[in-house]
Amino acid sequence: MAAVREIRLAQRADGPAAMLGIGTANPAYCVPQDDFPDYYFRVTKKEHLTDLKDTFTKLCRVLGLKRRFFHHTEQMLNANPGFLDGNPSSTLDARLDIVAKAAPALAASAAAKAIARWGRPATDITHLIVATSSEARSPGADLALASLLGLRPGVRRTVLQLAGCSAGCAALRLAKDLAENNRGARVLVACVELTLTSFRGPRDDDTFDTLIPQALFGDGAGAVVVGADAAAGERLLFEMVSAAQTTIPGTEHLLNMRLGEGGVDGNISFDLPSFAAENLEPCLLDALRPLLAIGGGERKWNDLFWAVHPGSRGILDHIDAALRLEPGKLAASRTVVTEYGNMLSATVIFVLEELRRRMDEEGDEAEWGIMVGFGPGFTVETMVLHATNSFFFSASARVLVLLRLFVFSSDS
């Protein structure tokens, strides 16, 4: 027993996991959102559905996006007319073949940036986690990505498939555990999403709700290098303090996805933004529970920075109202969803990159923050983050800062 305990201690890192490098990438093809209704109905040859086009135009305006990026260009769609008929079953193999080549390449572009910013060679990566809802095969994007990056044959691979928008946070939660339980581990998280497997033309029976995926989702990839016990030359961007996952019972109908004969499809309830915000606060407290014994009184959510997966602008608006956040607290999330749309698992990594950029360029008095992701189930992922600067706080100083931020008193 003594020997086993010694081995166990030797295998585990001494300090918390941290994000050491972040990278993002998008395909080159971009469609402005203002032009998308005309583009969508023209390219799918459904311009005669004028009433439905009016509904879709209103939906695109409500979502408030500026643009989205896609791997599937108009030229590709014209070359594959079966992609446009609203029934992907006859073309699913062709779609998946395209994704099989394009997804690893896009993920490699984001990962190469994260590795370069980390500052060490790719061969130092010990673990690889790939999250995607764009394909379902094995070996898949993980093996192809490892080959493109030149990772060593002994890299330990894990794949998360069809976990939707929350997969980015889930992959980072898993990376935290791997880094802290394997001394010297350097974990590469890569999230890549291509909407070709879910793209379809409008149908006569479509409604405001059923058209949301076509108006909201875009393509992108994000990557993060995670490790504990940073060595010389490694910069700690965000320390990963504690994580939690909550699935709200009986809510499967609000958000779900599946891969079937018709490609990747699912249901997104129009009530999801308000529901997510109404149920968020208990999930946040669950993430903080390992750190503090939280009592009653006012919750000082405005003392934190926020990295929220922006499923849509509506979700962010409802979270602002529910938590009474000050203007600008969700600015990084708003910027990402406006400039890129919802890229499912990759989106939260774009938010982390934008948040870190703002901290470095503009400064932010908030040292502690929360990362939040939403996904099928209905599932809420939360993680407490500590933003590091050029200096390092001692463990006791960090505890004091936490206590100052989360002391709830009737006088506050």
Side-chain angles (χ1 to χ4, degrees):
M1 287 297 295
V4 170
R5 289 183 180 137
E6 289 177 9
I7 293 172
R8 180 179 181 277
L9 288 174
Q11 288 176 336
R12 280 151 179 77
D14 295 325
M19 302 180 198
L20 307 174
I22 301 174
T24 59
N26 297 96
Y29 188 60
C30 176
V31 181
Q33 190 77 343
D34 287 345
D35 299 339
F36 194 78
D38 288 336
Y39 165 83
Y40 180 57
F41 280 79
R42 173 176 54 79
V43 77
T44 58
K45 299 176 175 55
K46 295 295 181 69
E47 291 179 291
H48 61 283
L49 300 176
T50 54
D51 290 344
L52 191 60
K53 182 178 177 181
D54 290 342
T55 299
F56 190 72
T57 301
K58 178 182 177 181
L59 173 61
C60 288
R61 186 168 57 249
V62 167
L63 291 175
L65 312 184
K66 286 185 179 179
R67 59 180 183 171
R68 286 179 290 159
F69 293 85
F70 302 102
H71 177 73
H72 54 274
T73 64
E74 184 170 357
Q75 182 180 7
M76 180 188 295
L77 295 175
N78 288 333
N80 295 272
F83 291 180
L84 308 174
D85 63 5
N87 181 18
S89 59
S90 60
T91 61
L92 183 57
D93 284 347
R95 294 168 187 258
L96 291 174
D97 286 345
I98 292 172
V99 170
K101 297 178 181 178
L106 187 61
S109 179
K113 294 176 185 177
I115 291 170
R117 291 166 181 167
W118 168 43
R120 286 171 54 178
T123 49
D124 285 354
I125 295 294
T126 60
H127 297 73
L128 173 64
I129 303 171
V130 174
T132 182
S133 295
S134 302
E135 66 166 4
R137 63 192 177 97
S138 183
D142 57 323
L143 187 60
L145 176 59
S147 177
L148 288 172
L149 295 175
L151 304 186
R152 58 192 185 188
V155 68
R156 282 154 275 185
R157 296 176 286 118
T158 303
V159 180
L160 303 178
Q161 290 181 328
L162 289 179
C165 294
S166 61
C169 292
L172 289 168
R173 170 171 51 81
L174 178 58
K176 165 182 162 61
D177 289 346
L178 288 173
E180 292 176 349
N181 285 285
N182 294 273
R183 184 181 294 272
R186 291 298 179 265
V187 186
L188 175 62
V189 171
C191 301
V192 58
E193 305 291 356
L194 300 179
T195 55
L196 178 61
T197 47
S198 60
F199 178 84
R200 62 168 178 81
R203 306 185 185 112
D204 292 348
D205 59 349
D206 266 326
T207 64
F208 199 88
D209 283 8
T210 62
L211 285 170
I212 289 176
Q214 303 303 322
L216 177 62
F217 294 115
D219 296 358
V224 182
V225 177
V226 175
D229 298 338
E234 291 183 313
R235 182 192 179 198
L236 281 63
L237 303 176
F238 296 104
E239 288 179 306
M240 307 159 82
V241 181
S242 67
Q245 180 195 76
T246 302
T247 302
I248 301 174
T251 59
E252 296 87 349
H253 64 286
L254 291 176
L255 180 63
N256 53 67
M257 60 193 310
R258 55 197 171 272
L259 177 63
E261 290 183 353
V264 176
D265 198 3
N267 299 316
I268 303 175
S269 171
F270 192 70
D271 297 327
L272 186 61
S274 58
F275 183 85
E278 290 167 2
N279 288 273
L280 178 58
E281 192 164 23
C283 300
L284 297 174
L285 297 177
D286 189 35
L288 294 165
R289 189 165 289 112
L291 302 178
L292 301 168
I294 298 176
E298 182 184 1
R299 297 171 176 83
K300 299 184 178 180
W301 301 123
N302 282 302
D303 289 335
L304 301 170
F305 64 81
W306 292 85
V308 177
H309 168 78
S312 68
R313 186 177 68 176
I315 287 181
L316 299 179
D317 290 343
H318 280 86
I319 290 175
D320 261 336
L323 300 182
R324 299 179 182 178
L325 297 180
E326 297 169 355
K329 280 294 179 180
L330 300 182
S333 297
R334 291 186 181 280
T335 295
V336 168
V337 75
T338 299
E339 295 294 333
Y340 304 98
N342 184 340
M343 299 166 287
L344 291 101
S345 66
T347 317
V348 74
I349 298 178
F350 278 71
V351 174
L352 290 166
E353 183 179 56
E354 173 66 14
L355 186 62
R356 189 70 244 190
R357 183 194 66 79
R358 289 170 178 262
M359 289 179 170
D360 291 342
E361 295 181 2
E362 304 169 11
D364 192 324
E365 71 280 3
E367 182 185 347
W368 295 88
I370 296 279
M371 179 178 69
V372 181
F374 306 102
F378 178 72
T379 302
V380 182
E381 292 271 356
T382 49
M383 183 180 291
V384 177
L385 302 176
H386 175 248
T388 60
N389 296 306
S390 58
F391 57 95
F392 296 92
F393 291 91
S394 68
S396 58
R398 291 176 187 173
V399 170
L400 289 175
V401 173
L402 271 174
L403 289 172
R404 285 200 299 270
L405 290 177
F406 290 101
V407 167
F408 301 156
S409 68
S410 57
D411 297 330
S412 60

